[in-house]
């Protein structure tokens, strides 16, 4: 997957963490329209570049989003910085929660 090849992780995250695996599983299960909406949410673009040359120096950054004190992390929504192509992603407890939150955003 081209997006995964151009993804970096911030704040000590790795691709092996459960919520990151949930994230990739969720994206893999998305329809084309859901993927387009996701790209619009995180980057304000209609689609991703299709070649490595098209990406240039652009990379997608996933970083951790913490819940406010006392809040249930499963109730927190992800946050995107479209100018920087960053996604602040909570550490959701399950694939189901990840699917629900990413479908809404």
């Amino acid at each position: 997957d081209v997006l995964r090849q151009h993804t970096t992780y911030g704040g000590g995250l790795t691709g092996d963490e459960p919520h990151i695996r949930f994230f990739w599983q969720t994206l893999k299960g998305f329809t084309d329209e859901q993927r387009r909406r996701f790209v619009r949410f995180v980057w304000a673009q209609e689609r991703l570049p299709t070649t490595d040359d098209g990406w240039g120096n652009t990379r997608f950054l996933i970083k951790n989003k913490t819940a406010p004190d006392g809040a249930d992390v499963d109730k927190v929504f992800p946050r995107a910085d479209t100018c920087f192509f960053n996604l602040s992603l909570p550490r959701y407890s399950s694939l189901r929660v990840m699917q629900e939150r990413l479908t809404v955003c």
Side-chain angles (χ1 to χ4, degrees):
D1 175 57
V2 71
L3 180 59
R4 197 173 200 159
Q5 293 170 359
H6 294 277
T7 298
T8 57
Y9 303 96
L13 289 178
T14 69
D16 295 326
E17 301 200 37
H19 73 297
I20 300 298
R21 289 195 312 267
F22 297 152
F23 170 78
W24 291 116
Q25 285 178 280
T26 299
L27 282 189
K28 188 174 184 174
F30 272 3
T31 65
D32 288 343
E33 178 59 27
Q34 287 172 315
R35 277 189 218 105
R36 270 191 292 280
R37 280 188 258 165
F38 175 77
V39 170
R40 219 174 306 143
F41 171 69
V42 294
W43 199 25
Q45 301 291 322
E46 288 296 314
R47 60 189 121 105
L48 298 170
T50 56
T51 65
D52 286 336
D53 287 340
W55 281 84
N57 292 328
T58 303
R59 51 78 188 126
F60 175 48
L61 174 67
I62 300 175
K63 50 190 179 175
N64 195 43
K65 180 177 181 184
T66 57
D69 288 339
D72 179 358
V73 72
D74 285 345
K75 305 266 190 238
V76 176
F77 285 95
R79 180 176 177 267
D81 300 313
T82 56
C83 292
F84 301 105
F85 200 14
N86 295 343
L87 177 66
S88 297
L89 189 65
R91 292 178 182 267
Y92 295 128
S93 64
S94 70
L95 176 60
R96 181 188 58 77
V97 174
M98 179 70 71
Q99 291 167 333
E100 289 173 0
R101 296 298 169 259
L102 287 183
T103 302
V104 171
C105 71

